[in-house]
Amino acid sequence: MLHKNKLSTAVVLAMASLAAAQSLAQDSEATGVEEVLVTGFRGSLVKSLDEKRNSINAKETIMAEDIGKFPDLNIAESIQRVPGVAISREGGEGRNITLRGFAPSFTRTTLNGMEVPAGSDGLDSGGVTINAGRAFDFHVFASELFNRVDIQKSTTASMEEGGIAGTVDLYSAKPFDFDGFKFATSVQGSFNDLSEKTDPRLAVMVSDTFADGKLGALMSVAYSERTVRQEGFGTVRWTTPVATNNIYPTSATPVIRGEIAEDDCALNGAAVAAINCLWTPRLPRADYFANDQKRLGVTTSFQYRPNDDTLITFDALHSKLDNDRRNYNSMEWFLTHNEVTPLDITVHPDGKQILAATFDDVESWIESRDQTSESEFNQFVLSGEFKLNDALTLDAMIGKATNEADREELRFYSISESHRYSFDFTGNRHIPKVSWGEGYDYFDEANYEITTPNNRSNYVKKDNLTSKIDLTLEQDRFSIKTGLAYNDRQVESREGNGNYPAAFSAVGYLNDFPVSNFGKGLDGDLVKFPIVDFAAIYRDNRVSKEYTDNPAAAWIVDEETLAAYVALDADFDIGNMLLKTNFGVRAVKTDVTSEAWINGNAVKVERDYTNFLPSMNFSLNLTEDLVTRLSYGKTMTRPDMGSLNIAAPTFGYTTRTVANLGNPGLNPFESNDIDLGVEWYFADESLLAVNYFYKDVTTSLKTDIVEKLIDPEYHAAILADPQYDAIYNADPRTVPYTHYIPVNDNEGFEVKGYELIYQQTLSFLPGFLSNLGIVSNFTHVTAGDMTGLSENSYNVTVFYEKDNFGMRLAANYRDDYLLSLPGGNGHVAEMKYGPTHVDFSSFYNFSDNLTLTMELINLTDEKERIYGTGDGGMDLTRELNHTGRQLLLGVRYSL
């Protein structure tokens, strides 16, 4: 049985190149054994199944058969096909992943063997300026740069620590992956039916080996442009006047249509009119987000193999993502209820919210934003594999990765004169009909004055330095592996401020709305509105886009880690069964340094902690086709950078309080993990599996109230603060302060669930139906009130493939998931709608070298929606938008 398993592994790996396949065919002919060459999407599935089957730990693998043939356009969207994975999208593109219910920062990501950072800016709807945390932004990279992704769901001692949810390992192509010369290119045109723009997407790879196979060189380039048009309607949350502590004028006597459920409306214990307990939109607005995106990726790889015992590899990867955004919102100002006058209110049948209304004294605050951002990633990795003798192997690696993200944002409000305004959600609960008072010209620029609420730059730099060395002793039935790893991770964040001119007349500085078909593809009507003419404002030097550093907002967090591990792998025969085992323990020391500039003083706080992480994995082949798995491991995830940075704290000297202060002394999240799985490879290219997982998070974080002396590192900054006065009797060296800070929580929480997998090529069916296949999985997770958690999610891909033609239809679904608890503006919670995305792809081979491709992304033009739950049982849309369908036509050529 062992011999047969090794033979099947060799066969599948040999399929990776034509030369190897030809060699295999010759061997088969000589021995009389018939082997079938499986290529295309089916071929990548075969390789992935073989990787999963032979792994000792719980693992999923996605393989690309060739350059430009990764299963999806975006790495995050490919990973979402894996059981247990859900993704969050921005601008119609996958950005972050949620693995087994955990937020993105709990998943560790590596590239070519080393942990890497990746961050970029985000849309206003996503609430992200620049990602300065641990979450990995997958959309920074073009999918064409990679030929393999591993998702490690259970841990081993040799894996670097940091991912309670799991680890995602990305790999780019190497020259020795191919036999001799290899050339491949793909060219696509991408058309979006909402933006009605066609954008280019192309990739090329050249690889060759020299000096009798001792030297190899590879280079690949991927470039794409993307014109994004995201539009819809938003309320920027619903709320009640009571919740915002300012009520409608007591002089207001509106007409009330319908029954108000709340008959005892009160503010601060005093009775107020019942309309003040009705939920109403805060800032009803039409939304338009436009983004011209450019993405460039370059990889190079050099390999040197002077003999069978030595392999040296140098990999370099460069990626650049540019976003040029123009965003417009037509807000009507309801944030201060005491300044608007309700005239006519229709109450929703539930008695809790306003269905339709007319107000007087409403101002339009039309928002226009000019945002530009750039995210640049560079990685260099030098690695070597050295076979010291027949039993000993030494692996070494040193790598450096840097991600720099810049963003500039200039935001204007065009504020109108007061007027009447009406909205009506009767026909559509997401997009109301709106109108303005008779005689008021909404589009007259003389009715507006322009203010500048934001003129700011942000910069985040993430640096990772990794070095490690591993020594492996291999014997017939066991191996011992030990090693050391050193990491230095640093995140630096800076902010710059521009000028803020006095308000000026909008005359000569407004433009018509940029598109004629605003609202295309939505059920409701979106009304166009006037927008700021940025060119005219820049021409007249109304605002300067020059920025001065704000030292008070700057911070640096640095983590140095030193880890050592030892692991034992062994296999045993138990009757006719094969048991593969892995035991190990990892010890890691983490030194944290957090720096900031407070009251003109440089402040540095240093802390450290040590963790011991045992693990074990068992894989039992009950039969040749039936595999069971059991894993245990202790894992950890370090606190997010926002909890560690100490910039811009608030010291209250009269109240003796401390707020907005990070805590560099935090210990990491710690979890005890159990995985149990059964896999039945019941036919060729087929799998039926069930996986159960349980994670007992014993140490977590919370914000708490702590009475203590202020740490001595802050004393000089406090005593230098002009606001501090000794008469307050609040000397930080002797008087305890009340701290509102993040602390460790030992109560913990549990995450548990199961995954079901069914995959089969239906070759037993008659005729053309034998070319059909299905890949599907379902995941159920329970974890209480965790943000980003969808309790249920599933993926289904149906494919048809033969030698010269193939097509796939893929659907991905996830339940609604929690964004925040409690929600803002009086909501019990804020949720995000769980979409169902459907994609289609197909190819036709004109020859062995030339292929025509067609892909349809987001076939149903799925809508993205965020909503609040009000008093807990309501569904109040915060925003609804869409980005349209995308058609890609292209050709792929390879040699």
Side-chain angles (χ1 to χ4, degrees):
M1 183 172 61
L2 270 174
H3 175 73
K4 187 170 184 179
N5 285 340
K6 291 177 181 177
L7 176 62
S8 65
T9 303
V11 168
V12 173
L13 293 175
M15 291 176 184
S17 67
L18 179 61
Q22 290 173 335
S23 175
L24 179 63
Q26 293 169 356
D27 291 345
S28 300
E29 184 176 354
T31 59
V33 178
E34 182 180 359
E35 299 290 351
V36 179
L37 179 65
V38 183
T39 60
F41 179 65
R42 278 183 59 190
S44 66
L45 292 178
V46 168
K47 297 176 189 177
S48 299
L49 274 188
D50 194 73
E51 283 290 328
K52 179 180 180 68
R53 185 172 186 168
N54 289 288
S55 173
I56 194 169
N57 66 308
K59 173 176 137 180
E60 310 287 347
T61 298
I62 307 169
M63 307 283 275
E65 188 195 21
D66 207 341
I67 181 72
K69 296 180 74 173
F70 216 80
D72 293 274
L73 298 179
N74 179 285
I75 288 291
E77 290 162 4
S78 284
I79 297 174
Q80 75 170 333
R81 313 291 181 196
V82 168
V85 175
I87 70 171
S88 59
R89 286 181 168 83
E90 184 177 275
E93 185 177 40
R95 176 169 180 159
N96 302 124
I97 71 166
T98 298
L99 179 56
R100 288 182 163 179
F102 284 88
S105 59
F106 286 86
T107 298
R108 180 174 162 272
T109 302
T110 73
L111 173 55
N112 291 326
M114 71 165 288
E115 183 179 323
V116 290
S120 67
D121 80 325
L123 295 178
D124 175 71
S125 58
V128 176
T129 303
I130 296 181
N131 174 9
R134 298 187 191 276
F136 190 87
D137 287 343
F138 286 89
H139 70 313
V140 170
F141 301 105
S143 63
E144 290 92 342
L145 301 179
F146 307 103
N147 63 355
R148 171 174 171 166
V149 178
D150 289 338
I151 299 93
Q152 311 283 357
K153 292 182 175 179
S154 68
T155 188
T156 66
S158 60
M159 291 183 196
E160 290 188 63
E161 71 293 335
I164 285 179
T167 296
V168 175
D169 298 319
L170 308 174
Y171 298 95
S172 59
K174 311 289 189 293
F176 288 167
D177 292 344
F178 310 99
D179 186 11
F181 179 75
K182 177 69 176 180
F183 172 81
T185 184
S186 65
V187 180
Q188 292 177 306
S190 173
F191 175 79
N192 184 280
D193 70 342
L194 182 59
S195 68
E196 299 181 351
K197 300 288 186 179
T198 300
D199 298 312
R201 185 181 182 104
L202 56 94
V204 61
M205 184 198 75
V206 180
S207 178
D208 203 357
T209 56
F210 314 93
D212 297 326
K214 294 181 179 180
L215 292 173
L218 178 148
M219 181 175 183
S220 71
V221 178
Y223 176 79
S224 66
E225 296 180 7
R226 187 166 174 260
T227 304
V228 181
R229 176 174 156 188
Q230 178 175 321
E231 59 187 40
F233 191 88
T235 62
V236 199
R237 298 191 188 98
W238 293 61
T239 192
T240 68
V242 166
T244 58
N245 204 36
N246 68 86
I247 61 175
Y248 297 122
T250 56
S251 58
T253 57
V255 176
I256 307 296
R257 307 175 194 276
E259 297 294 327
I260 301 177
E262 180 61 66
D263 57 5
D264 188 19
C265 189
L267 175 62
N268 299 325
V272 296
I275 57 173
N276 291 293
C277 285
L278 289 174
W279 293 82
T280 186
R282 294 172 64 243
L283 294 168
R285 70 184 196 183
D287 295 329
Y288 178 86
F289 303 98
N291 185 22
D292 293 325
Q293 183 185 87
K294 295 180 181 179
R295 180 163 43 210
L296 172 68
V298 180
T299 73
T300 56
S301 182
F302 301 95
Q303 290 187 296
Y304 175 53
R305 184 168 50 200
N307 52 57
D308 292 341
D309 297 330
T310 304
L311 174 62
I312 298 173
T313 303
F314 175 75
D315 291 307
L317 190 147
H318 167 80
S319 183
K320 186 177 180 183
L321 177 68
D322 292 326
N323 291 304
D324 187 358
R325 309 181 196 268
R326 292 291 175 94
N327 305 333
Y328 306 106
N329 314 101
S330 62
M331 300 185 296
E332 299 296 323
W333 196 263
F334 284 87
L335 291 186
T336 48
H337 297 94
N338 59 312
E339 296 179 2
V340 301
T341 305
L343 302 177
D344 193 307
I345 291 176
T346 300
V347 182
H348 190 278
D350 67 5
K352 300 178 181 180
Q353 58 185 290
I354 294 179
L355 183 64
T358 298
F359 293 84
D360 203 357
D361 306 314
V362 180
E363 293 177 341
S364 299
W365 288 50
I366 298 176
E367 188 176 57
S368 302
R369 281 173 288 168
D370 180 10
Q371 299 171 341
T372 58
S373 70
E374 177 183 292
S375 178
E376 186 169 341
F377 175 91
N378 290 286
Q379 184 200 39
F380 305 95
V381 179
L382 179 64
S383 60
E385 302 173 24
F386 308 95
K387 194 170 182 60
L388 304 180
N389 55 44
D390 291 341
L392 279 176
T393 302
L394 178 70
D395 295 284
M397 185 269 281
I398 184 168
K400 171 80 168 177
T402 301
N403 190 98
E404 293 184 84
D406 287 281
R407 167 183 166 127
E408 295 180 356
E409 177 184 274
L410 184 55
R411 183 183 308 202
F412 295 107
Y413 287 146
S414 304
I415 303 176
S416 76
E417 297 178 349
S418 297
H419 52 74
R420 288 194 178 188
Y421 171 76
S422 302
F423 62 81
D424 187 351
F425 287 92
T426 302
N428 187 320
R429 69 190 182 101
H430 308 302
I431 304 176
K433 293 184 180 299
V434 300
S435 61
W436 291 264
E438 185 177 348
Y440 176 76
D441 187 352
Y442 181 58
F443 298 93
D444 185 354
E445 60 185 16
N447 288 331
Y448 294 90
E449 196 173 59
I450 296 176
T451 65
T452 311
N454 193 31
N455 186 13
R456 188 176 68 188
S457 68
N458 293 91
Y459 169 82
V460 172
K461 182 180 181 181
K462 300 180 179 180
D463 266 315
N464 280 28
L465 172 67
T466 298
S467 60
K468 53 186 177 182
I469 187 168
D470 302 286
L471 184 66
T472 305
L473 171 67
E474 291 192 57
Q475 298 298 313
D476 288 341
R477 302 295 298 267
F478 74 90
S479 65
I480 298 174
K481 191 172 184 179
T482 187
L484 295 171
Y486 169 80
N487 282 275
D488 186 359
R489 309 175 189 88
Q490 185 179 96
V491 178
E492 176 186 359
S493 177
R494 296 206 307 265
E495 182 180 295
N497 292 325
N499 70 317
Y500 290 83
F504 55 93
S505 171
V507 175
Y509 296 109
L510 292 186
N511 269 339
D512 292 334
F513 199 73
V515 297
S516 60
N517 58 349
F518 188 41
K520 174 185 175 182
L522 293 172
D523 294 336
D525 297 325
L526 299 182
V527 177
K528 289 179 281 187
F529 50 93
I531 62 172
V532 159
D533 184 347
F534 288 104
I537 288 178
Y538 298 150
R539 178 198 65 209
D540 294 346
N541 296 316
R542 286 286 187 175
V543 177
S544 171
K545 296 189 73 175
E546 296 180 357
Y547 301 98
T548 303
D549 273 345
N550 176 13
W555 55 269
I556 297 175
V557 173
D558 185 87
E559 286 179 344
E560 288 187 81
T561 65
L562 181 62
Y565 77 91
V566 62
L568 169 66
D569 288 1
D571 60 70
F572 308 92
D573 293 321
I574 304 176
N576 293 324
M577 300 181 295
L578 173 66
L579 174 65
K580 293 185 288 185
T581 63
N582 162 263
F583 299 90
V585 63
R586 187 177 190 88
V588 56
K589 184 177 185 291
T590 304
D591 292 287
V592 179
T593 302
S594 187
E595 299 178 76
W597 191 261
I598 303 174
N599 298 327
N601 284 259
V603 178
K604 179 189 289 188
V605 179
E606 297 178 320
R607 302 288 186 268
D608 65 79
Y609 52 84
T610 302
N611 298 87
F612 295 91
L613 308 171
S615 63
M616 60 185 72
N617 293 269
F618 303 91
S619 173
L620 178 63
N621 288 24
L622 294 172
T623 68
E624 186 176 350
D625 300 320
L626 190 62
V627 179
T628 61
R629 301 184 188 278
L630 174 64
S631 300
Y632 164 78
K634 187 169 186 177
T635 57
M636 59 179 279
T637 291
R638 296 179 175 88
D640 209 31
M641 298 303 178
S643 299
L644 301 175
N645 100 68
I646 58 174
T650 301
F651 296 110
Y653 305 121
T654 58
T655 57
R656 298 175 183 173
T657 57
V658 179
N660 194 43
L661 180 64
N663 182 1
L666 289 171
N667 289 321
F669 292 82
E670 292 182 312
S671 177
N672 293 300
D673 306 338
I674 295 175
D675 283 78
L676 178 63
V678 180
E679 301 162 9
W680 181 26
Y681 299 86
F682 58 92
D684 291 341
E685 306 170 47
S686 303
L687 170 65
L688 186 64
V690 58
N691 302 318
Y692 170 81
F693 56 89
Y694 173 81
K695 295 178 181 290
D696 180 18
V697 182
T698 57
T699 303
S700 60
L701 304 182
K702 66 178 180 180
T703 299
D704 208 348
I705 301 173
V706 180
E707 293 281 344
K708 67 168 189 170
L709 291 173
I710 292 178
D711 292 334
E713 290 91 344
Y714 303 99
H715 291 173
I718 291 174
L719 297 175
D721 188 352
Q723 302 299 318
Y724 175 79
D725 194 317
I727 65 173
Y728 295 141
N729 295 319
D731 188 333
R733 295 166 294 188
T734 59
V735 178
Y737 277 56
T738 302
H739 290 63
Y740 299 85
I741 58 172
V743 297
N744 286 113
D745 180 7
N746 294 323
E747 290 186 11
F749 57 91
E750 295 179 347
V751 177
K752 55 187 175 182
Y754 59 86
E755 302 160 347
L756 304 175
I757 305 171
Y758 167 60
Q759 177 176 327
Q760 187 172 15
T761 300
L762 307 180
S763 54
F764 58 87
L765 294 176
F768 74 94
L769 295 177
S770 62
N771 298 309
L772 284 170
I774 185 170
V775 180
S776 62
N777 58 72
F778 171 83
T779 302
H780 175 80
V781 185
T782 57
D785 297 321
M786 281 185 63
T787 57
L789 169 67
S790 290
E791 191 170 89
N792 299 295
S793 61
Y794 66 77
N795 297 277
V796 178
T797 299
V798 178
F799 64 90
Y800 178 90
E801 191 165 304
K802 52 190 304 185
D803 290 342
N804 63 341
F805 174 74
M807 55 184 176
R808 286 183 286 134
L809 184 67
N812 171 267
Y813 166 81
R814 65 180 299 187
D815 282 348
D816 294 6
Y817 55 95
L818 180 68
L819 291 179
S820 61
L821 181 74
N825 304 110
H827 289 266
V828 171
E830 195 158 30
M831 306 287 295
K832 188 161 187 181
Y833 164 72
T836 302
H837 282 269
V838 180
D839 305 319
F840 173 82
S841 63
S842 63
F843 71 88
Y844 180 79
N845 292 327
F846 288 104
S847 66
D848 290 341
N849 307 108
L850 184 63
T851 300
L852 174 69
T853 63
M854 182 184 76
E855 299 178 60
L856 289 166
I857 309 300
N858 193 17
L859 272 171
T860 60
D861 189 14
E862 187 74 352
K863 310 301 185 290
E864 297 285 327
R865 186 169 76 91
I866 297 174
Y867 63 94
T869 63
D871 62 8
M874 304 174 74
D875 184 343
L876 302 172
T877 298
R878 173 179 138 182
E879 60 186 68
L880 174 85
N881 55 63
H882 72 137
T883 54
R885 303 170 183 84
Q886 192 172 355
L887 168 67
L888 295 100
L889 291 174
V891 293
R892 184 186 300 121
Y893 182 79
S894 64
L895 285 175

